[in-house]
Amino acid sequence: MKLITTPNLDRHDAFYAELLEAHRGLSEAESQALNARLILILANHVGDLDTLREALELAAEG
Amino acid sequence: MPQTPKTYPYSRPAGLDAPEPRHGVVIVGAGPVGLTMALDLAGRGVPTVLLEENDRVGAGSRAICWTRHSLEIFDRVGIADKVLAAGTPWQIGRTSFGDDEVFIEDFGRDPGDRMPPYLNLQQYHVEEFLIEAALENPLVDLRLRNKVIGADPAPDGVELTVKTPDGLYTLSADYVLACDGFRSALRTMLDLEFDGEMFEERFLVADIEMEADFPPERWFWFNPSFHDGQSAMLHRQGGNVYRLDLQLARGASAREEVKPERVIPRIEQVVGPDFELDWVSVYTFQCRRLGDFVHGRVIFLGDAAHVVAPFGARAGNGGLRDVDNLGWKLAAVLDGRAPAGLLDSYNRERVQAADENLKQALRATRFMSPRPGIETLFRDQVLALAVKAEFAQGWVNPGRLAVPCVYDSHGADDPALPQATRPGAVAPDAPQGAGWLVPALGREVTLLAINCAPPAGLQVPVIRPEVNETLRRRYLGDADRALYLIRPDQVIAARWLDADARDVSAALRALWEGRG
């Protein structure tokens, strides 16, 4: 297991608020596009396919 | 001047007047794959009958981009000098989104290679050179306007019914090689499934002649202003002929789109008014393959065995590698040097390669023609990011250009040696005095003994190469010596730092028995 699923981001409440803020005023399509860019940027930052596969699996569980 | 297809003479085959003796090998289809196959086998002393229903080379450029390894294969069948003289070598690919360039690829020209990484030449020129070589070769019996209309396979051979302008005759052969293209008649006659995906995507493809001075680079556009919402590619071929590929909108009528009054204004938007239209066609994207390429005594090669979506240079080059893989194996089986089981390794290795090509082609197709919805969303956001963030440039997929598949191999290996020359890989070139390593490998299994003496008592040709910078980088890495066993198709079978005669003999047995 390479994916960190235990608490790892200290100021998560701040990030959550800023994530919502980034979407404020965007249309549904613009929000979708922002999310897509974010996923791509973060995937590159993670930089490890095995970790990303675990993340995809966890996300797919819904 | 639009290319006028060259025609070649038909002559009445002997089988019309009296039954012909059984042949060893009959090849069906004289495109690049069938012709190269006949010449490869001729080079190994194997005579072939090559049946072709037409009497001319095909119209239009079709396959244009040949890889370094294909040029090496052309060299083994004697046409590389002509191909190099007529073609346009290139190494730069530029990709744009809208009117912004987002991605440049440089495939590099290494002075350690005799051949350029890629060379563009219209398929009809390649076919002309191959036909000329076939007509001069006494071991190739090229029969034009000979159309196979029936195939009766038996456990030890195949009987073919052939139609000519003078009537029907039959031919029997130990092996039939189906090189009859993506609409393969033999595939249909044997009632074989050709599974895979067919896409709605269609591209209009045109050969245009113009006195332009565009550099020999591959230019690919996503959503250019001259072709809104679609993709386009412009690439120089041999002479003043350029290839233009334009994606068609979903639902566009192919019959309408190829009409000059539709095509010419589109092309004018890309290159201006000064050009001549040589050829235009529309193609669909397909990714399919046969489950197996060997069906008893009928063996499938090239598009008859597998078709891939374009933009990766995977169809023509993949077909040539099928030829390269099969030639030495079939020759060895025919003269009893190897068991028939060696041909199973053709199936195993070329199915692996086809799957790799299909995987790459599918990924490129998904990127070039994403489905509406989430696929289009991600594709467009990769393109949008590529303008701003370096990482996303590499994610842009205008077709990944083919490199030879590395076959799965259990051949002896030493991890101290470079990864690129591991067993299963194609042996790379290196300068050798005034010549080159790859041509010196010839048509036989060869031992390459670098800075060492080969074990005594082996019946294998040995090359003790000049050790220069390229050879050291590609074959030694940090090691000071190595022994490589190289197959007749330039694939590395095994390698050692130190080996005795028993090690090499075991590797030779595995090679001739087709154990990977």
Side-chain angles (χ1 to χ4, degrees):
Chain A
M1 195 73 180
K2 287 182 154 191
L3 182 72
I4 301 168
T5 55
T6 52
N8 190 46
L9 178 64
D10 286 343
R11 298 164 61 201
H12 45 78
D13 288 346
F15 172 72
Y16 191 79
E18 286 163 38
L19 179 64
L20 297 191
E21 186 58 34
H23 283 276
R24 188 191 297 267
L26 299 187
S27 69
E28 192 66 30
E30 288 165 340
S31 266
Q32 286 256 26
L34 175 71
N35 280 342
R37 286 195 296 277
L38 199 56
I39 290 167
L40 298 168
I41 291 164
L42 293 176
N44 180 63
H45 183 83
V46 170
D48 180 76
L49 185 58
D50 290 333
T51 309
L52 291 167
R53 283 177 177 151
E54 288 180 31
L56 280 170
E57 257 176 61
L58 179 61
E61 284 172 18
Chain B
M1 284 291 287
Q3 171 245 359
T4 0
K6 277 192 191 162
T7 57
Y8 300 88
Y10 157 80
S11 54
R12 185 184 168 88
L16 280 166
D17 302 312
E20 294 186 31
R22 187 185 177 92
H23 296 278
V25 182
V26 171
I27 301 169
V28 181
V33 173
L35 285 160
T36 308
M37 187 78 252
L39 292 167
D40 178 278
L41 287 169
R44 300 178 194 286
V46 179
T48 56
V49 176
L50 175 50
L51 304 175
E52 166 58 45
E53 62 176 290
N54 295 309
D55 62 354
R56 65 191 63 203
V57 300
S61 53
R62 293 174 297 154
I64 64 165
C65 177
W66 307 96
T67 63
R68 171 182 294 130
H69 187 48
S70 288
L71 297 171
E72 291 166 347
I73 294 171
F74 285 150
D75 196 39
R76 281 203 274 288
V77 298
I79 67 157
D81 289 341
K82 288 180 179 174
V83 170
L84 288 167
T88 299
W90 64 276
Q91 64 183 68
I92 302 279
R94 294 181 189 274
T95 302
S96 301
F97 175 40
D99 297 326
D100 296 320
E101 187 167 286
V102 290
F103 181 41
I104 303 178
E105 260 179 304
D106 186 347
F107 297 99
R109 184 76 205 253
D110 189 317
D113 287 311
R114 176 181 171 208
M115 300 297 182
Y118 298 103
L119 175 137
N120 284 359
L121 184 64
Q122 301 89 307
Q123 182 173 328
Y124 53 77
H125 283 319
V126 171
E127 288 180 5
E128 282 164 19
F129 300 154
L130 289 167
I131 288 177
E132 285 160 20
L135 289 171
E136 282 170 15
N137 194 311
L139 292 180
V140 181
D141 179 355
L142 173 59
R143 303 185 185 183
L144 301 161
R145 301 184 72 187
N146 275 238
K147 180 180 182 176
V148 175
I149 58 163
D152 187 9
D156 62 344
V158 188
E159 194 172 275
L160 298 173
T161 308
V162 185
K163 188 180 166 197
T164 73
D166 295 321
L168 303 181
Y169 70 105
T170 58
L171 271 183
S172 56
D174 294 335
Y175 287 92
V176 167
L177 309 184
C179 305
D180 51 348
F182 103 99
R183 289 191 188 88
S184 170
L186 275 164
R187 207 177 54 219
T188 308
M189 289 172 204
L190 267 57
D191 199 20
L192 300 174
E193 295 273 333
F194 200 44
D195 283 334
E197 284 189 70
M198 188 163 165
F199 298 87
E200 283 178 55
E201 286 23 87
R202 282 175 309 171
F203 270 74
L204 182 133
V205 52
D207 286 339
I208 55 179
E209 230 174 298
M210 57 184 175
E211 296 291 332
D213 208 16
F214 295 138
E217 298 176 342
R218 182 185 196 261
W219 291 350
F220 195 98
W221 294 268
F222 292 100
N223 302 347
S225 55
F226 61 78
H227 192 44
D228 195 29
Q230 308 294 339
S231 302
M233 188 186 78
L234 184 68
H235 211 169
R236 187 171 192 162
Q237 310 180 63
N240 287 322
V241 180
Y242 289 75
R243 166 77 163 261
L244 181 65
D245 292 61
L246 293 170
Q247 188 179 20
L248 295 176
R250 282 172 190 242
S253 151
R255 194 173 299 171
E256 287 300 310
E257 295 298 334
V258 297
K259 288 183 177 165
E261 62 267 30
R262 296 278 292 187
V263 172
I264 287 169
R266 277 191 195 282
I267 298 174
E268 278 179 353
Q269 287 187 57
V270 189
V271 300
D274 298 322
F275 67 88
E276 194 175 350
L277 184 62
D278 280 4
W279 173 71
V280 62
S281 183
V282 169
Y283 60 81
T284 53
F285 277 36
Q286 301 194 34
C287 286
R288 306 170 177 221
R289 74 164 169 86
L290 284 171
D292 285 298
F293 299 168
V294 179
H295 288 265
R297 294 300 184 92
V298 183
I299 302 175
F300 290 82
L301 299 91
D303 285 0
H306 42 73
V307 289
V308 293
F311 295 108
R314 294 174 187 279
N317 293 300
L320 291 179
R321 258 206 113 190
D322 291 346
V323 170
D324 209 27
N325 191 294
L326 183 62
W328 66 277
K329 294 176 180 175
L330 186 59
V333 169
L334 285 167
D335 75 5
R337 260 183 305 159
L342 178 58
L343 299 176
D344 296 340
S345 70
Y346 165 78
N347 189 59
R348 185 180 68 239
E349 292 177 340
R350 295 315 297 161
V351 163
Q352 182 202 339
D355 280 344
E356 192 171 301
N357 283 328
L358 287 165
K359 181 175 79 180
Q360 293 288 348
L362 276 170
R363 289 175 177 174
T365 300
R366 283 269 174 279
F367 196 88
M368 267 177 224
S369 310
R371 294 191 183 108
I374 194 76
E375 285 190 16
T376 301
L377 175 76
F378 273 115
R379 197 289 295 267
D380 288 348
Q381 297 317 310
V382 167
L383 288 168
L385 276 173
V387 183
K388 295 178 220 151
E390 195 188 331
F391 84 84
Q393 293 168 8
W395 292 37
V396 173
N397 189 345
R400 305 288 183 221
L401 270 291
V403 288
C405 166
V406 178
Y407 298 137
D408 291 336
S409 171
H410 300 103
D413 191 13
D414 193 304
L417 297 168
Q419 169 79 355
T421 39
R422 65 192 181 276
V426 171
D429 214 349
Q432 291 289 291
W436 296 89
L437 177 65
V438 166
L441 294 172
R443 298 179 191 279
E444 300 298 322
V445 175
T446 306
L447 261 183
L448 189 62
I450 308 168
N451 281 341
C452 65
L458 294 165
Q459 299 292 314
V460 188
V462 175
I463 293 178
R464 300 189 67 172
E466 169 197 312
V467 180
N468 50 40
E469 185 276 329
T470 306
L471 195 102
R472 190 174 291 118
R473 168 164 52 94
R474 292 181 166 170
Y475 286 90
L476 291 177
D478 295 328
D480 62 354
R481 66 194 184 283
L483 190 65
Y484 280 78
L485 182 66
I486 302 178
R487 307 191 329 193
D489 57 355
Q490 207 184 320
V491 171
I492 293 162
R495 60 180 185 171
W496 304 265
L497 284 183
D498 297 292
D500 59 26
R502 254 190 333 192
D503 298 326
V504 179
S505 294
L508 279 165
R509 261 197 315 279
L511 185 158
W512 289 113
E513 289 169 11
R515 287 180 275 128

